[in-house]
Amino acid sequence: MRSDKYQHKKKRRKIRWSSIFLVLFLIVGAVMLYSYMQYRSGVSGSKEAADQNKQEYHFNGERDRNGLTNILLIGSDARGKETSRSDTIMIASYNPDTGSYKLTSIMRDSYVEIPGHGMNKINSAFAIGGPELLRQTIKENFDVNLQYYSIVDFEGFVRLIDEAFPEGIEVNVEKRMSENIGVTLEPGVQRLDGKHLLGYVRFRHDAVGDFGRVERQQKVIKEVGKEFASIQTLPKLPKLVGVVAPFINTNMDTGDILFMGKGLISKDNRNIDTMRIPVEGSFENQRVSGAGAVLAINVEENKRALEEFLTK
């Protein structure tokens, strides 16, 4: 009799656990289906406006010796034009052990050795040999291994901001801006949509030139990161990736992007540490025949500063 009761209880436990696993399986399946549908919805809304003839690049990326995931970010608005120079050069670093994010901006006029091509502005490396030559240039001058690259069309930035933040991003515009940015911005605190926010981060026609632009780019990226963390954005992440994916040429797969993006927006008060190359006091403004106005940098000093920033 006791044996019959034991067998009956054991059978009920098996049924209960089977039911739990079935429910979990259905939930996971529903989440995956929802994510896929949201991703496809984002892609379909952007595909027609994006460049459908993306240049295919060879990229001999290497893992970072310190365990970081380093991504070469290249901003460009010259879609399909292989000879365009990179308008924006950044290194995005993700530390999987600490879950921290760091962003380094490299001034495009930095005068460095480009492997096989002599001295030139660093942004010419992309025009000469695409992201691979730019990767080699950064490795040779600053000793940083880059595993991935992402070339971002600025239209993708506009669509991402408008999709994620329909009311815009709050920015304190420090002065009137209009020259060569496609919009006119008046000074003061205001919420900017994607088009006006892009104009803000691209403006450089003032006394501080590209230095001011880099500072604004980093400020906006940090503010966008905070906004992502402060709203219920996680359910929207698959669609947001779908919205921007057609405007990105990258060797990263969607799973990598989702994994790192999820970490950024799923934690409160997420901070993105930033730095700029060259660092203060490590460069001189010069004019070079054939290159024009350049930043003659102390390579060793900047190499040390970058290593300290990424590994601390």
Side-chain angles (χ1 to χ4, degrees):
M1 191 70 178
R2 288 181 180 179
S3 177
D4 290 342
K5 288 183 178 180
Y6 174 75
Q7 293 295 331
H8 184 63
K9 289 181 179 179
K10 187 176 180 181
K11 186 176 180 179
R12 282 192 298 176
R13 282 199 297 268
K14 285 183 179 180
I15 294 174
R16 185 167 60 249
W17 280 110
S18 297
S19 300
I20 292 173
F21 283 129
L22 177 60
V23 171
L24 289 175
F25 176 78
L26 291 174
I27 291 174
V28 171
V31 170
M32 291 178 66
L33 179 60
Y34 169 82
S35 298
Y36 176 76
M37 296 300 292
Q38 288 292 299
Y39 172 77
R40 295 307 306 173
S41 173
V43 169
S44 64
S46 295
K47 202 169 184 179
E48 289 186 5
D51 179 21
Q52 299 303 307
N53 298 307
K54 293 180 180 178
Q55 176 76 26
E56 292 189 11
Y57 293 105
H58 166 74
F59 192 78
N60 190 27
E62 300 178 11
R63 292 184 61 85
D64 180 77
R65 60 182 177 273
N66 296 305
L68 307 175
T69 299
N70 291 330
I71 307 163
L72 174 60
L73 299 180
I74 303 166
S76 175
D77 61 353
R79 291 178 288 169
K81 297 179 181 178
E82 185 178 355
T83 58
S84 64
R85 294 195 178 198
S86 45
D87 193 72
T88 299
I89 303 171
M90 294 180 174
I91 300 172
S93 298
Y94 171 67
N95 188 328
D97 293 331
T98 62
S100 61
Y101 299 79
K102 295 185 178 182
L103 189 69
T104 304
S105 296
I106 303 179
M107 302 285 289
R108 64 181 190 170
D109 290 340
S110 299
Y111 197 56
V112 297
E113 181 73 27
I114 298 177
H117 299 275
M119 297 291 293
N120 208 331
K121 294 180 180 180
I122 194 168
N123 72 333
S124 67
F126 179 71
I128 297 170
E132 170 60 16
L133 184 57
L134 184 52
R135 180 198 70 79
Q136 294 176 23
T137 301
I138 292 173
K139 172 63 177 176
E140 178 166 312
N141 289 274
F142 305 113
D143 196 25
V144 174
N145 288 322
L146 299 164
Q147 187 173 358
Y148 301 109
Y149 76 88
S150 287
I151 304 171
V152 183
D153 187 311
F154 290 135
E155 177 63 22
F157 172 83
V158 171
R159 288 177 176 256
L160 176 65
I161 295 300
D162 288 344
E163 179 67 36
F165 312 106
E167 296 182 2
I169 296 290
E170 185 175 292
V171 174
N172 185 5
V173 180
E174 59 268 27
K175 63 187 72 175
R176 190 177 190 274
M177 303 176 182
S178 62
E179 190 172 353
N180 292 341
I181 60 174
V183 295
T184 298
L185 299 174
E186 300 296 340
V189 177
Q190 53 203 283
R191 299 195 75 86
L192 301 180
D193 62 11
K195 183 178 180 180
H196 289 79
L197 192 63
L198 176 63
Y200 177 74
V201 299
R202 297 200 67 192
F203 180 77
R204 64 186 184 94
H205 293 277
D206 59 5
V208 292
D210 213 32
F211 286 92
R213 183 175 68 162
V214 166
E215 183 177 340
R216 283 188 289 274
Q217 287 175 349
Q218 293 188 344
K219 180 176 77 171
V220 165
I221 288 174
K222 294 175 81 169
E223 184 60 33
V224 169
K226 290 178 182 178
E227 289 284 341
F228 268 122
S230 65
I231 64 175
Q232 300 300 316
T233 313
L234 192 57
K236 297 174 66 176
L237 181 58
K239 185 174 183 179
L240 296 178
V241 173
V243 166
V244 75
F247 297 96
I248 296 179
N249 187 332
T250 182
N251 64 337
M252 298 180 68
D253 61 39
T254 303
D256 292 328
I257 298 173
L258 285 170
F259 175 75
M260 284 184 277
K262 177 177 67 66
L264 177 63
I265 70 175
S266 62
K267 296 182 180 180
D268 294 334
N269 301 318
R270 167 64 68 199
N271 291 319
I272 302 175
D273 293 330
T274 60
M275 80 169 296
R276 185 203 72 208
I277 295 293
V279 295
E280 287 295 334
S282 69
F283 65 92
E284 294 180 357
N285 291 292
Q286 294 183 2
R287 294 199 69 85
V288 175
S289 177
V294 304
L295 298 175
I297 72 173
N298 183 321
V299 172
E300 289 301 319
E301 182 176 347
N302 281 281
K303 182 193 299 184
R304 289 193 297 270
L306 182 55
E307 181 179 11
E308 181 180 352
F309 171 72
L310 293 178
T311 57
K312 69 180 179 181

